Amino acid sequence: MMTSIDQCIVLEPVTETNFEEVFALNVTDDQRRFVASNVLSVAQAYVFKCWEPYAIRIGPTLVGFTLLYFDPAGDEPTTASIVRFMIDRHQQRRGYGGRAMAAIVHTLRKRTGVESIELCVHPENTVARKLYESAGFSDTGRMYGYEMIYELPLT
């Protein structure tokens, strides 16, 4: 299933036809401490069945990756999570991050029962924090390990 908010932005499930492209995506050297590799993320999605890996395309170009979580049978069925989000180092500073985040929020908003979206961000990752805040997320004051938990209420 592909989901888009316009003709240019598409969240495409990671499959046998695009996983090598996804694995080739990388962040900049100074961002590596903030996000796990896409290889690890896809492996985790294989183990944790409620985690959904998506390639992010802008037109025909693969620009990023996201890993989403929603378990309607879980303890918090009203909360979905953006477990991972990255834009390839060669595609950064083009406005793709904000547009991709809008597509992700749109996708999760369509899920039955989702009332909020959470994500975690390293306190020193100021670029990501600004992006998330511009998309409507705010700091909850809670922590997950050493990362801040941000939330976007949908109701």
Side-chain angles (χ1 to χ4, degrees), residues 14-129:
V14 175
T15 66
E16 65 276 358
T17 61
N18 64 9
F19 78 93
E20 289 178 333
E21 279 184 284
V22 170
F23 292 173
L25 299 173
N26 284 300
V27 293
T28 62
D29 290 341
D30 60 320
Q31 295 169 331
R32 288 184 197 276
R33 65 189 175 113
F34 298 136
V35 64
S37 74
N38 294 344
V39 172
L40 174 62
S41 295
V42 171
Q44 288 174 317
Y46 178 79
V47 173
F48 301 106
K49 300 302 183 191
C50 291
W51 291 17
E52 303 169 12
Y54 292 94
I56 300 169
R57 287 197 188 275
I58 306 288
T61 305
L62 186 65
V63 299
F65 170 80
T66 192
L67 184 61
L68 307 180
Y69 166 82
F70 179 65
D71 182 5
D75 293 337
E76 297 181 43
T78 61
T79 302
S81 297
I82 301 170
V83 179
R84 305 270 159 59
F85 174 72
M86 63 83 71
I87 299 295
D88 184 70
R89 66 178 178 228
H90 300 296
Q91 304 299 331
Q92 293 179 12
R93 299 193 172 280
R94 298 181 183 188
Y96 294 159
R99 293 171 62 202
M101 185 56 61
I104 293 166
V105 168
H106 176 77
T107 297
L108 292 173
R109 185 181 295 272
K110 293 186 334 183
R111 301 280 174 100
T112 301
V114 175
E115 295 177 4
S116 67
I117 302 170
E118 288 186 342
L119 56 81
C120 293
V121 61
H122 192 287
E124 295 175 15
N125 193 348
T126 56
V127 172
R129 289 175 59 192

